[in-house]
Amino acid sequence: MSTKPPPSTSGLIFAWDVHDHSTWRLVGALLLLMATMAGFFFVFRIVHPVTQRLPVTPQHVISLDPANPAELALIHRAQDRSFALLSDADSMSPMESPLLAFQPSYAGHEIKLRELEPAPTPIRQPRLFTAAADVLPPVPRRTVDSVAMPAGAKLHAILSPGLAKRGPARVELDGIKLTQPTRVQFRVAVGSAGQIVTALPLSAVDDAEIMQQLHAAVLTLRFTPAEVKRVEWGEISFRWEAAAAP
């Protein structure tokens, strides 16, 4: 039988064999705190000051005898609440006192008529614009002389330089009696296939039937196709030209 000394350290993870004395420490700290608070209560005690009340005694006592007429009148004045007690210096009537006498502010003033002010002279300022005057200068009316169709002449459509590169510079139009050829002008948009997509009249004549004929004739024009430009804009004007000799 082997005799081995017990190990110096136990194999427990927590120190269960150690006694905790922190409870007694907390009790001692609590008692110390209570004693400190009690000492503060005696040191910083609130003491209310004692107010001293002074006895109120009359300093002068005046005895009035009702048998005396002057003192009796004073007694009656004291009993009458609507009567003001005045001294001998102020015993005069209110009308005789200069302080109580009513003195209006307009006393000694005489009402006089005020002189009439002269009528203001009217200031005539130059009027730049009036309702009847014309603000804009006169604009001369556009005079367009009617050109009679010359004998043997035909109406031609004159194309702008950009459109003339894709077609003939002059196109002959038949059956349209245009008396004012210089007045009419169209702005057209030519597609990539050479057809006219849009024709907008920039200026027109009064005859609506002739304008419809011109619009229909312009839409029938065809140009050389161009793949570079999808839409090309240009102008078309009109002019009478004599027919070429055969």
Side-chain angles (χ1 to χ4, degrees):
M1 184 175 181
S2 60
T3 58
K4 295 181 178 181
S8 58
T9 58
S10 62
L12 299 178
I13 298 176
F14 302 100
W16 299 104
D17 55 346
V18 178
H19 298 284
D20 188 9
H21 301 284
S22 60
T23 304
W24 297 107
R25 297 175 184 174
L26 292 176
V27 172
L30 180 61
L31 295 176
L32 180 61
L33 179 62
M34 293 174 63
T36 305
M37 295 297 294
F40 284 164
F41 177 77
F42 286 103
V43 171
F44 299 100
R45 185 174 54 182
I46 300 174
V47 179
H48 297 279
V50 179
T51 58
Q52 297 180 0
R53 296 183 179 181
L54 300 176
V56 180
T57 56
Q59 297 181 0
H60 299 282
V61 177
I62 300 175
S63 59
L64 301 177
D65 187 7
N68 189 355
E71 295 180 1
L72 182 61
L74 185 58
I75 294 174
H76 290 168
R77 292 183 183 180
Q79 293 178 353
D80 189 2
R81 296 182 180 180
S82 62
F83 192 86
L85 294 176
L86 302 175
S87 61
D88 295 339
D90 300 335
S91 60
M92 61 182 63
S93 62
M95 296 302 296
E96 297 177 357
S97 175
L99 298 176
L100 300 179
F102 176 70
Q103 295 180 358
S105 59
Y106 54 84
H109 292 275
E110 183 180 356
I111 299 176
K112 296 181 180 180
L113 295 178
R114 186 178 180 183
E115 296 182 359
L116 296 177
E117 296 180 358
T121 56
I123 301 174
R124 295 183 179 180
Q125 297 181 354
R127 300 185 65 179
L128 301 178
F129 305 103
T130 58
D134 244 353
V135 179
L136 299 177
V139 179
R141 294 186 178 181
R142 181 180 179 183
T143 57
V144 180
D145 298 333
S146 297
V147 179
M149 182 178 60
K154 293 185 178 182
L155 184 64
H156 287 74
I158 309 301
L159 307 180
S160 59
L163 297 180
K165 295 178 181 179
R166 299 180 58 182
R170 300 176 184 178
V171 180
E172 184 178 341
L173 303 177
D174 295 332
I176 301 177
K177 298 179 180 180
L178 184 60
T179 57
Q180 299 174 355
T182 57
R183 184 175 179 180
V184 184
Q185 189 177 13
F186 280 85
R187 181 170 178 80
V188 296
V190 181
S192 59
Q195 81 282 8
I196 293 182
V197 181
T198 306
L200 303 175
L202 299 180
S203 56
V205 293
D206 298 335
D207 196 344
E209 184 178 357
I210 294 179
M211 287 301 301
Q212 292 178 1
Q213 294 176 3
L214 284 173
H215 189 268
V218 169
L219 291 177
T220 58
L221 299 178
R222 291 295 179 267
F223 298 88
T224 305
E227 298 180 358
V228 179
K229 295 183 179 180
R230 299 183 58 184
V231 177
E232 184 177 358
W233 289 88
E235 288 78 21
I236 297 178
S237 57
F238 304 93
R239 184 171 59 190
W240 287 105
E241 291 185 2

